[in-house]
Every structure is written in C-alpha cells, then in structure tokens.
Amino acid sequence: MTAPPIPGSSVPPATSVLPDDAGQALLVGRIWDPATGGPRVVALSGDSAVDLTRLAGTVSELLELPDPAAAVRAALLDPALGVQRWATADVVAASLAGDAARPYLLAPVDLQVIKACGVTFVDSMIERVIEERCAGDAARAAEMRELVGKALGGSIATVRPGSPEAAEAKRVLIAEGLWSQYLEVGIGPDPEVFTKAPVLSSVGLGAGIGIPRFSSWNNPEPELVLIVTSRGEVVGATLGNDVNLRDVEGRSALLLGKAKDNNASSALGPLIRLFDGSFTVDTLREEEILLRVEGLDGYLLEGRNTLARISRPFEELVAATRGRHHQYPDGFALFTGTLFAPTQDRDEPGQGFTHKRGDVVTIRSRHLGALINRVGTAEELPEWTFGLRQLFGYLAEQRQVELAQMQE
C-alpha cells in the first residue's frame, strides 16, 4: 500500500519531480508492479520507465556491475531486456496519488544498508550551541561568538574537523562550559555514522512518512544520499528525508535508534541518478537541497541545505562508513547530514517547529529532482511487510515464469 494522496494544491506536474536536466540524466530505481505483485528494477528512457529486471533482479545487483551506467545504456537499447515499459508520468501520478492499484515508485534502493552521518555542518552546529548557552542574551552571544571565532582561526564555517584548530576550539569550548557530545563528532577526528533504517524499510515518492505518537517535537532533515557499492565506490545519488524526533534524541544520544528508526521514518527518491560524463560527485559538492513544508493549517516553512558548507568531504564520510573495519557486500546508501535545523515558530512563540499530521514535505534539488511525502502517524501508516524473504521469493517466482516463457 502507498499513502493517501498528497493534497491537490501541492501536487506538481509529473515531470517536475525529475531533475531539471532529466533528458540528460541516467535515472534508475524501482517500481511496484501490481500485475506481478513485486518490485521491478527500472531505468528512465524518454517518457518511459523501462523494466530492467532481466538485467538485474535488484538495484544492488545492477550497481555491482563493473560499469552500471554503461550497462544501463546498453540495456535500454536491447529489446530483449527492456520488454516492459510504463509511462513515467503515469507512474509518478500514481505515486503522488497513493494509488496502489497502478504501478508506483518505491524507494530506489533495495538490498543496500541505510546508513547516515550526523553533525556534518560545523558552522550551524556551533551557532546553535552558542545561542542555546547564551539564553538569548545578545551581548553574551557576541562575546561567545568572538571567542569561538578566535579559536577557529576567525571563521566558524571553515574549521576542519580533527585539525589542530579544531583541537584548540575544543579546549576553549570546554573552558567556557560549551562542550557537548555533538561538538565532539562535529569537530573531532571521527564523524558520527549510524544505521538509519533496516534493509527494504525505506519509503519512496508519495508515501507517508511516520511520526510516532510519543513524539511532540520533530522535524524533517533534507539530505543528499550517496549510493555506494560494496567496493566503496560512489556511483550515484538520490534525495532523502532523515525524519528526526528532536524530543527523543534531546533526552539522550543513547536514544538515537528510537529517534531515527520508526515505521516510514526513512524516505528516499524519487530515483537514483547514476554518475556519468556530465554528472559526477563533484557536481554535488555545490548542490543546494531545498525544503518546503506545507501544512493543512496554512503553515509554510522553507529552508535549504547548501552542500558547499559541509565540514567533511564525501570521501571522508564514505571511508568512515566502509573499510577494513566494516564491509557492505550489497552496498549502502549514505545520508550525508543537513545544514537545516528549523527554528521558525509554528504555534506558540518560542516553541519552534514541529510536524503536524498532513504536512506535505518537498525536498528538491536541481540535479536529483523532488522527493515529496506527507506526514502521518507511524502507528497508522501501512506496516512494513515486504522484507527479504518476500523479495527473494518473488525473484525466484519470476525466474520460473521467465524460464517457462522461454520454453514455450
């Protein structure tokens, strides 16, 4: 099942969920096919989503090929592989309408582990600490900002985590009573890396995203998600919403799992854009990820996540996740963190932002398109029921169907 339809005022034309340069983009993902009762690996070609399941039964398998981009291009020209097609506009429309009777987009990964990095933007992290500790006293805030600025060589935004300047900043912040475990992973030598969600549990375009009933302070986190192979090679990217429960994590960092991993709390999509000659990891270093939250109450929140301000390069985050210390034989998807932390009041002054049921969350970037979801109650959204056993059973069944067709 998918979520109830996105409110009509927020539904864009189907093509607007694709990248601005969709005609040049190499886009792959997954479609739920009601006719066969399971997920199909697809690539976009013109106005169609082409079934590539004969080439690879899973997206993970596809990306493990020596050159995924070349393999997809070749498959799109091979009529023996791309035998089934769906109109992209119809698939997108069904996804946004929550119409499970028609083919719709799933999260574009399958066997990959969903990992995430936190506190990867130093400037906003330190500013939040300064503002919190100074309790709104502007004069004291200016003093703290100047002190921290000196420790960081005059620029909060340019401190390099793990550097001598960061070590000096740590000394100053401890002396001023400003140190915290979040600053440790923000400017210390080791980034925060955690498992965001189980394999196959992420939701895709148009699906509901879940806020548990026990949370009263929460927010979206618009992020770039790198798609990494078992070899540690970044082969593409997508957009993600790292749904976060601020009240839970705020009580204790040891409650991170409870704050981050709930029903429909990881959203990915709309598709994976593979790297090729015109789109590389360097393209993403300057990408801006825009956020828009539209409430049924007329509330509007907008923000942006500017990746040029990330404090650690993508390569460092990937290396901290995978290496001799940890392997991922099916690859992984890596949330890279967010600059955006909503403080705009929604109801009472001073209470800041929190989600309400029915909020439409749009995360958009120029090169990756738009991920659109509606907020629901985690306990009331469709349960996650299609796991690894179901996937392997489906693939085995489809293989038998294909063999029978070949023998006819």
Side-chain angles (χ1 to χ4, degrees):
M1 293 178 61
T2 54
I6 303 294
S9 60
S10 301
V11 177
T15 54
S16 72
V17 308
L18 301 180
D20 290 354
D21 58 345
Q24 289 73 50
L26 197 55
L27 301 168
V28 299
R30 294 192 305 146
I31 283 176
W32 181 269
D33 178 26
T36 61
R40 314 296 292 186
V41 178
V42 299
L44 262 57
S45 177
D47 296 330
S48 299
V50 181
D51 188 349
L52 298 185
T53 304
R54 286 188 177 180
L55 172 66
T58 65
V59 173
S60 172
E61 180 184 358
L62 174 67
L63 300 184
E64 290 297 318
L65 296 173
D67 188 341
V72 170
R73 288 196 191 94
L76 291 175
L77 298 175
D78 186 348
L81 290 176
V83 295
Q84 186 169 354
R85 294 172 178 258
W86 298 273
T88 301
D90 291 345
V91 171
V92 170
S95 303
L96 296 175
D99 186 354
R102 293 187 287 161
Y104 61 88
L105 286 169
L106 299 167
V109 300
D110 38 45
L111 300 182
Q112 294 92 340
V113 177
I114 310 301
K115 305 293 289 188
C117 293
V119 201
T120 54
F121 289 83
V122 170
D123 50 349
S124 62
M125 171 197 68
I126 293 180
E127 281 297 312
R128 286 196 299 268
V129 172
I130 291 171
E131 292 164 1
E132 178 183 32
R133 297 287 180 163
C134 293
D137 184 339
R140 179 63 175 159
E143 178 187 344
M144 287 293 99
R145 190 170 292 107
E146 181 180 0
L147 183 62
V148 173
K150 289 180 180 178
L152 303 180
S155 175
I156 290 175
T158 58
V159 64
R160 179 71 174 88
S163 66
E165 293 79 12
E168 175 62 14
K170 178 177 180 178
R171 184 192 66 78
V172 171
L173 292 167
I174 290 175
E176 294 297 324
L178 295 175
W179 190 251
S180 79
Q181 53 201 342
Y182 294 101
L183 289 170
E184 173 61 40
V185 295
I187 62 175
D190 300 311
E192 178 188 22
V193 183
F194 59 93
T195 299
K196 165 64 181 178
V199 170
L200 287 177
S201 68
S202 296
V203 299
L205 175 72
I209 49 175
I211 303 295
R213 291 193 184 99
F214 55 74
S215 176
S216 59
W217 186 25
N218 41 71
N219 65 279
E221 292 191 355
E223 301 189 23
L224 170 72
V225 181
L226 300 176
I227 307 300
V228 190
T229 70
S230 64
R231 301 179 296 275
E233 299 171 355
V234 183
V235 293
T238 190
L239 296 171
N241 187 350
D242 178 13
V243 180
N244 183 46
L245 310 183
R246 302 185 73 179
D247 47 359
V248 174
E249 186 179 357
R251 286 160 50 200
S252 171
L254 297 179
L255 293 173
L256 183 65
K258 188 180 183 69
K260 291 290 190 177
D261 183 10
N262 296 285
N263 187 33
S265 64
S266 170
L268 296 168
L271 297 151
I272 294 170
R273 181 166 185 175
L274 296 179
F275 293 148
D276 55 19
S278 62
F279 175 71
T280 69
V281 69
D282 289 331
T283 309
L284 297 173
R285 298 190 199 279
E286 301 293 326
E287 192 83 343
E288 286 204 332
I289 299 176
L290 307 179
L291 172 74
R292 182 181 179 92
V293 178
E294 301 170 84
L296 297 177
D297 55 357
Y299 178 84
L300 176 64
L301 174 71
E302 295 182 312
R304 66 183 59 230
N305 183 16
T306 305
L307 288 165
R309 294 169 64 185
I310 198 168
S311 62
R312 301 180 193 265
F314 300 144
E315 293 81 358
E316 182 178 338
L317 301 180
V318 171
T321 306
R322 181 224 174 258
R324 290 295 302 159
H325 64 289
H326 203 313
Q327 296 79 47
Y328 298 87
D330 298 303
F332 60 97
L334 183 62
F335 282 83
T336 55
T338 187
L339 174 67
F340 180 72
T343 57
Q344 175 181 315
D345 289 336
R346 182 164 196 174
D347 294 314
E348 298 298 323
Q351 291 187 359
F353 170 85
T354 194
H355 269 308
K356 291 187 177 181
R357 184 173 177 176
D359 284 351
V360 175
V361 180
T362 301
I363 297 171
R364 182 187 305 276
S365 86
R366 175 185 173 188
H367 292 100
L368 298 174
L371 173 62
I372 306 173
N373 302 94
R374 188 171 71 169
V375 173
T377 304
E379 293 86 346
E380 297 175 0
L381 290 175
E383 293 185 352
W384 171 38
T385 58
F386 194 89
L388 289 169
R389 285 189 296 108
Q390 287 75 17
L391 175 61
F392 293 157
Y394 171 77
L395 292 175
E397 177 184 284
Q398 292 303 299
R399 180 58 176 165
Q400 291 301 316
V401 170
E402 183 177 326
L403 289 174
Q405 292 174 345
M406 292 173 61
Q407 294 172 356
E408 291 179 356

